[in-house]
Amino acid sequence: MSSPRRVLAMAGAAVALLLTALPATASDIPPPDAVVTSPNVTHVRNVPKPDAIASSINTDIAFQGDYAYVGNYGGFSIYDIRNPKKARVVSSVVCPGGQMDVSVYGDLLFAAVDSSRSDDSCASTDRSAAEKDAWEGVRIFDISNKARPKYIKAVETACGSHTLTLVPGKGRDRHKNVYVYVSSYLPAANFPDCQPPHDKISIIKVPLRHPQAAHVAATPVVFPDGGNEDQPGLLIPTTGCHDITAYAEKDIAAGACMGDGVLFDISDRLDPKVTARTTDPNFAFWHSATFTNNARKVVFTDELGGGGAATCNEATGPNRGADAIYDISNGQFAFKSYFKISRHQDDSENCVAHNGSLIPVKGRDIMVQAWYMGGLSVWDFTDSANPREIGFFERGPRSDGGGGGIWSAYYYNGYIYAADFHEGFDVIKIDDRLTNSAKHVRTDRLNVQTQESYRNGWWH
């Protein structure tokens, strides 16, 4: 989702325009707050947000062993998912600073902060980015004790950290360091620590034995030519990246960079090189990326309207605010098709392509994906030119008329887990001949922005 601090004013006109779209047919819209699913999908459990952070919205999810880590604008929570049918909160950390997207590595949890704070502590308050002593960047916690996570380090980065991506070291370095690719954007001349043009990312080097020594080790420029800045219809011109997905074992990464889609060579962890780049006149905001298991395709999402608009309706159409599927041929992008949910939403429902992950099915390309108030969709894009939905879960419009929905929806060890803005943590299961083989694939970790291959019944 785009940072409220800088984006809402710029996106306001576009959102207002989109919200005037024609309503969907009333008979197609579920009753307010009602849960509806396709016949092959079951809602297993809902765990409400912990009281300490109930007033702020849930964001991204990471997994390790029997635990799920759910980010929240007010901090993060750890859930015991040993028995998904009895998923429960183990602990909750109050540490405000949007978005608090999270990733985990060993005993460390990394949280992205793209909201200017008075300092780097969990007791900080809002502060204008125009003030030199304001802080934003990455927080690091020790999660060895799940009941009592410990805040151990903060690293300030230029323009903050809207999202972050963990990239393990290579060879012997893998056991010594992990690298954090920090995506941030929207500089301004009056922001001392976020100066234009900011066409770069920040890379934090974290010594695993001494995480307190984490520091910004490189700030490579991604767009020396300034990127895509003048395409009509862009939500925001390119000024950095929104999100990066790394496939470290293949030494590649895909960047969703506002106005551009990018392929990186990350064989040198501190010096990623752009090897391919594409734009799309249909896209408003390149938001996130997902490789297929064989890395021969990549799916980019378009966050039309900044996540605050009703774009899943007849007036917006099937291609705008959609996913774009690209084959990777000879190291370059080859566009194949768009995919968007066909279930029209009410005009009170913000709906747009958002965070998702692969479902590990051998020989097929299937993923589950969040669509905010469009719920979540399970879809098959094995045929790149003809993707199709095979299952869904959603809630009807909120009875209070407000927005919300599912921020992230990921598949992990037989179940789908979803972080809903307001409703908390959902556990969902799909029973379908196309996906059932995935239940035999197991892993002990999942950071979706750090893809790992799956084979022989185990993620590697």
Side-chain angles (χ1 to χ4, degrees), residues 127-138:
R127 179 70 59 85
S128 169
E131 299 182 35
K132 177 61 181 173
D133 63 350
W135 180 91
E136 54 187 330
V138 173

Side-chain angles (χ1 to χ4, degrees), residues 40-73:
N40 56 355
V41 169
T42 302
H43 189 198
V44 176
R45 183 167 175 77
N46 172 263
V47 184
K49 290 183 294 184
D51 290 343
I53 54 176
S55 62
S56 48
I57 66 174
N58 280 341
T59 59
D60 212 2
I61 315 172
F63 302 87
Q64 191 177 71
D66 294 324
Y67 297 93
Y69 303 81
V70 180
N72 180 287
Y73 270 68

Side-chain angles (χ1 to χ4, degrees), residues 337-357:
S337 67
Y338 297 114
F339 170 78
K340 186 176 180 180
I341 60 172
S342 59
R343 294 168 285 108
H344 290 165
Q345 306 297 304
D346 186 79
D347 280 356
S348 67
E349 296 182 278
N350 54 301
C351 175
V352 75
H354 219 245
N355 295 353
S357 75

Side-chain angles (χ1 to χ4, degrees), residues 16 33 332 355 366:
D33 300 326
Q332 299 299 306
N355 295 353
I366 299 176

Side-chain angles (χ1 to χ4, degrees), residues 108-421:
L108 301 176
L109 178 144
F110 301 85
V113 180
D114 188 29
S115 168
S116 293
R117 314 296 299 171
S118 55
D119 55 57
D120 62 11
S121 76
C122 289
S124 64
T125 57
D126 290 331
R127 179 70 59 85
S128 169
E131 299 182 35
K132 177 61 181 173
D133 63 350
W135 180 91
E136 54 187 330
V138 173
R139 292 170 172 152
I140 306 174
F141 295 81
D142 182 329
I143 52 170
S144 53
N145 184 340
K146 305 296 185 286
R148 290 184 175 83
K150 182 181 179 182
Y151 186 12
I152 60 172
K153 175 69 175 181
V155 180
E156 186 171 15
T157 57
C159 300
S161 176
H162 193 69
T163 61
L164 56 80
T165 304
L166 301 187
V167 184
K170 294 183 62 177
R172 294 181 179 179
D173 188 46
R174 182 181 182 91
H175 303 290
K176 296 179 180 179
N177 299 294
V178 66
Y179 300 87
V180 184
Y181 285 15
V182 174
S183 295
S184 57
Y185 55 94
L186 282 178
N190 65 326
F191 293 167
D193 298 320
C194 185
Q195 289 286 297
H198 191 72
D199 293 314
K200 61 187 178 183
I201 63 173
S202 297
I203 301 178
I204 299 172
K205 182 177 181 178
V206 184
L208 294 173
R209 293 185 180 179
H210 304 285
Q212 295 85 350
H215 65 283
V216 175
T219 54
V221 175
V222 179
F223 301 103
D225 64 350
N228 184 9
E229 297 182 346
D230 56 6
Q231 174 184 308
L234 287 180
L235 177 65
I236 307 165
T238 298
T239 54
C241 290
H242 178 276
D243 208 343
I244 295 172
T245 295
Y247 206 151
E249 67 193 74
K250 297 182 183 294
D251 284 336
I252 59 174
C257 300
M258 307 172 71
D260 296 82
V262 174
L263 189 65
F264 294 97
D265 176 339
I266 59 169
S267 51
D268 183 338
R269 299 296 194 245
L270 289 174
D271 190 21
K273 301 290 189 184
V274 175
T275 58
R277 185 171 143 194
T278 188
T279 59
D280 184 338
N282 182 66
F283 260 41
F285 190 85
W286 297 68
H287 178 275
S288 54
T290 303
F291 287 105
T292 52
N293 189 52
N294 60 14
R296 294 176 184 169
K297 303 176 188 176
V298 64
V299 173
F300 285 105
T301 66
D302 178 17
E303 195 182 42
L304 177 67
T311 69
C312 298
N313 51 30
E314 184 178 5
T316 305
N319 294 335
R320 297 180 63 230
D323 298 322
I325 304 164
Y326 288 83
D327 285 356
I328 300 175
S329 178
N330 297 319
Q332 299 299 306
F333 293 117
F335 173 78
K336 291 299 177 179
S337 67
Y338 297 114
F339 170 78
K340 186 176 180 180
I341 60 172
S342 59
R343 294 168 285 108
H344 290 165
Q345 306 297 304
D346 186 79
D347 280 356
S348 67
E349 296 182 278
N350 54 301
C351 175
V352 75
H354 219 245
N355 295 353
S357 75
L358 292 182
I359 296 180
V361 178
K362 183 178 180 180
R364 301 199 72 85
D365 301 320
I366 299 176
M367 68 181 291
V368 58
Q369 183 178 357
W371 288 81
Y372 278 3
M373 292 193 74
L376 66 81
S377 173
V378 179
W379 60 289
D380 185 336
F381 60 105
T382 307
D383 180 349
S384 301
N386 295 286
R388 63 189 182 95
E389 183 175 76
I390 60 177
F392 70 88
F393 165 98
E394 68 168 297
R395 290 181 169 91
R398 289 177 59 80
S399 55
D400 63 7
I406 295 176
W407 182 289
S408 302
Y410 301 143
Y411 185 94
Y412 181 73
N413 291 346
Y415 289 82
I416 294 168
Y417 297 90
D420 188 285
F421 279 44

